[in-house]
Amino acid sequence: MVTTTDHPQAATAALHATPLGRETAYPERYDPTLLCPVPRALARAALGWTGPLPFTGADLWTAFEVSWLNPRGKPLVAIAHLTVPAETPNLIESKSLKLYLNSFNQERLRDADELRARLRADLTEALWRGSGQTPGSVGVRLQLPTEWACEAAAGLPGLSLDRLDVECTHDHPAPQLLRADATQPPVDETLSSDLFKSNCPVTGQPDWASVQIRYSGPPIDQEGLLRYLVSFRQHQGFHEHCVERIFIDIWQRCRPVRLSVYARFTRRGGLDINPSRTSHPQPAPGAVRLARQ
């Protein structure tokens, strides 16, 4: 397990200790020890939020490259949909998850149910590792090829902020761009943008996403919100941390009564990560596949 302190140099060293960005041999046999947990506290401390976090939610992973062998050695394939509660003390570093999933490629299993059970047990253990407790488990759904025909690309619902012709002058998160007009009647709005980009904190590779913001409260200035989202363009952060930062910044600056932030990132290495954070209990958003996914 990756461990760290609040010191930024220790945090950077911890991230570079993960498999991400390093040459690694792909496993030939099932190996759950390949999973590399990263403490969520690594980035949450940098948000400057004291006390309980104002959100709940989940990270929705889609793994497109899942394969195993049946008892006779015939390969089988599936798409795995993983739901990771935001309250887990760790997240899983993405390359380690890919290596772990690939360790099933030559593994003979009784059926898809056995694969599902192993995924749930291994991921749950890694996500709660070091906490001394396991109050929840990971949701695992396997989508077999007989179901693939129903997969269709869509877009995130909401009024597109991308219609606005704005001047963008920031390429690192600029929460000062966020504002809401408390003198106006409260609104219920769903806004979206396909222009989000950040960078991997280890490799520096670009991460692309569509972002949806649902809120109730004073109307948020849409031009400022779009400029704020674009300001992540050179920011380095894991997908989960970016969404949590967006939530915290909007929550503090615009003071909505209710807020949900949902991002769907394009895949890398056969995996996409789609974090959702909300101020109020609600079901996890549907695993819609966007055109870029």
Side-chain angles (χ1 to χ4, degrees), residues 117-213:
R118 288 201 196 184
L119 292 175
R120 181 177 291 112
D122 294 341
L123 291 168
T124 298
E125 185 280 326
L127 287 161
W128 290 97
R129 189 178 301 165
S131 67
Q133 55 182 335
T134 310
S137 64
V138 179
V140 179
R141 180 171 68 89
L142 295 180
Q143 191 176 28
L144 301 176
T146 53
E147 304 173 80
W148 291 357
C150 65
E151 286 290 295
L156 282 177
L159 178 63
S160 176
L161 296 169
D162 304 342
R163 74 190 193 284
L164 302 172
D165 184 16
V166 298
E167 182 179 10
C168 299
T169 56
H170 298 77
D171 55 15
H172 288 86
Q176 67 271 21
L177 297 172
L178 295 167
R179 54 188 176 272
D181 190 349
T183 67
Q184 297 297 314
V187 299
D188 293 299
E189 275 193 321
T190 301
L191 306 170
S192 65
S193 174
D194 297 313
L195 304 185
F196 189 87
K197 172 191 170 288
S198 57
N199 296 321
C200 172
V202 179
T203 66
Q205 293 181 13
D207 293 321
W208 308 92
S210 297
V211 179
Q212 180 191 70
I213 295 163

Side-chain angles (χ1 to χ4, degrees), residues 7-149:
H7 196 288
Q9 292 181 344
T12 300
L15 290 178
H16 283 277
T18 71
L20 195 61
R22 294 191 290 118
E23 184 175 348
T24 40
Y26 277 81
E28 295 184 1
R29 287 290 180 264
Y30 165 65
D31 185 0
T33 67
L34 291 167
L35 292 169
C36 182
V38 177
R40 293 188 188 272
L42 200 68
R44 286 177 176 172
L47 294 175
W49 185 271
T50 58
L53 291 169
F55 55 70
T56 59
D59 305 323
L60 310 178
W61 290 69
T62 316
F64 293 90
E65 300 174 5
V66 177
S67 184
W68 69 101
L69 305 179
N70 73 7
R72 300 184 66 188
K74 178 184 175 182
L76 300 174
V77 295
I79 298 173
H81 298 275
L82 311 174
T83 302
V84 178
E87 63 265 24
T88 61
N90 305 314
L91 55 84
I92 301 295
E93 187 273 313
S94 59
K95 185 174 181 180
S96 78
L97 178 59
K98 178 180 179 178
L99 293 170
Y100 163 73
L101 292 173
N102 275 307
S103 77
F104 284 97
N105 290 349
Q106 295 301 113
E107 186 75 5
R108 297 193 182 212
L109 301 174
R110 182 180 64 256
D111 52 26
D113 287 339
E114 183 179 356
L115 173 61
R116 187 181 299 109
R118 288 201 196 184
L119 292 175
R120 181 177 291 112
D122 294 341
L123 291 168
T124 298
E125 185 280 326
L127 287 161
W128 290 97
R129 189 178 301 165
S131 67
Q133 55 182 335
T134 310
S137 64
V138 179
V140 179
R141 180 171 68 89
L142 295 180
Q143 191 176 28
L144 301 176
T146 53
E147 304 173 80
W148 291 357

